[in-house]
Amino acid sequence: MNFNFFEQQISKIKDLPLPGEASQYKMAPESRLEELQRINISQKNPRRAGVMALFYPANNMGTNLLLILRKTYKGVHSNQVAFPGGKEEKSDDGLLTTALRETYEEVGVAPKDITVIKEISEIFIPPSNFMVQPYIGLYRNPKPFVKQDAEVELILEVPLSDFLDDTLVVSKKMTTSYAVDIEVPAFKLNGYIVWGATAMMMNEIKELLKQVL
């Protein structure tokens, strides 16, 4: 999809109601749904984080979505595909500042170069006890990305057409640091399986976009 057309259309989502949990839960593993129904999130006192779903023009003037593959490390989100973003620091002036700062640190996109279109529904991630606030942003004049080697294994530039393609939503058995051989709904993008909280956030964004594209 031509980026100029995409940019014109995406502005229309500003006034749309958020699909919310109903949309996110379509991409949640059954075990995650059961856990979310069982727990009282406020009692968990979750840490806060902000992430950025960044759309930008591809080399052929199409449109891409930026994702990252996290490094392998001793943690629950090791080697998973995610949006750029991370935990709120005391110096951050709110979660939007967090998302912009982390995007700059992880992939080298300066906050001044991002136009924030909309915040979507926050999401609680039980394994890491984070409440995450996602944002949708435009990066109109992209420069080469610069990945943060300490945390980012790979930068994934996903064509918008693939992101919107329902045939690339799959079911996959996964084993993680906290679950073994669980069946999960997922996006299959650029040869990688995107599941869990990132897939849940992506599905809300996808449903918003499909209303205007």
Side-chain angles (χ1 to χ4, degrees):
M1 181 179 297
N2 180 273
F3 182 78
N4 290 333
F5 175 76
F6 175 78
E7 182 179 2
Q8 292 171 3
Q9 296 302 109
I10 197 174
S11 64
K12 297 177 182 178
I13 72 171
K14 292 178 181 179
D15 299 322
L16 292 178
L18 292 174
E21 290 180 349
S23 174
Q24 293 178 348
Y25 286 179
K26 293 176 185 176
M27 295 300 292
E30 188 63 34
S31 58
R32 175 67 54 84
L33 289 175
E34 293 171 356
E35 187 172 10
L36 289 171
Q37 291 167 359
R38 216 172 40 237
I39 61 179
N40 185 324
I41 295 174
S42 61
Q43 292 180 352
K44 294 288 185 179
N45 191 28
R47 296 174 290 175
R48 305 281 296 178
V51 301
M52 183 64 64
L54 199 61
F55 293 91
Y56 59 97
N59 290 335
N60 61 358
M61 284 310 295
T63 302
N64 282 350
L65 169 65
L66 182 69
L67 295 171
I68 61 172
L69 177 66
R70 297 211 172 277
K71 288 277 191 179
T72 300
Y73 65 98
K74 291 183 179 180
V76 296
H77 301 303
S78 170
N79 198 40
Q80 290 185 4
V81 177
F83 290 123
K87 66 180 179 180
E88 183 180 29
E89 303 290 352
K90 291 181 179 179
S91 58
D92 290 340
D93 183 22
L95 289 172
L96 176 56
T97 299
T98 301
L100 291 168
R101 173 183 56 76
E102 286 279 349
T103 298
Y104 177 63
E105 291 175 2
E106 292 186 338
V107 296
V109 181
K112 66 179 179 61
D113 293 330
I114 296 175
T115 300
V116 178
I117 302 297
K118 191 179 183 73
E119 69 175 37
I120 63 168
S121 304
E122 62 182 7
I123 184 170
F124 178 63
I125 306 178
S128 54
N129 196 37
F130 265 103
M131 184 67 80
V132 179
Q133 177 61 68
Y135 298 89
I136 299 173
L138 290 182
Y139 183 28
R140 293 185 177 91
N141 299 296
K143 304 175 182 67
F145 296 112
V146 181
K147 74 181 180 71
Q148 183 183 37
D149 287 334
E151 295 187 18
V152 179
E153 180 67 31
L154 192 66
I155 290 174
L156 304 177
E157 302 188 58
V158 177
L160 178 65
S161 57
D162 289 354
F163 174 47
L164 298 178
D165 186 348
D166 291 335
T167 67
L168 295 179
V169 176
V170 299
S171 182
K172 185 79 173 177
K173 283 192 174 181
M174 302 291 294
T175 294
T176 73
S177 59
Y178 54 88
V180 177
D181 206 25
I182 57 171
E183 195 80 24
V184 301
F187 292 89
K188 188 174 183 180
L189 300 169
N190 290 36
Y192 290 87
I193 296 297
V194 188
W195 68 286
T198 300
M200 293 166 70
M201 291 183 275
M202 287 172 65
N203 202 54
E204 184 173 23
I205 295 169
K206 179 178 175 178
E207 290 193 2
L208 276 171
L209 293 180
K210 285 202 167 187
Q211 293 182 60
V212 299
L213 296 179

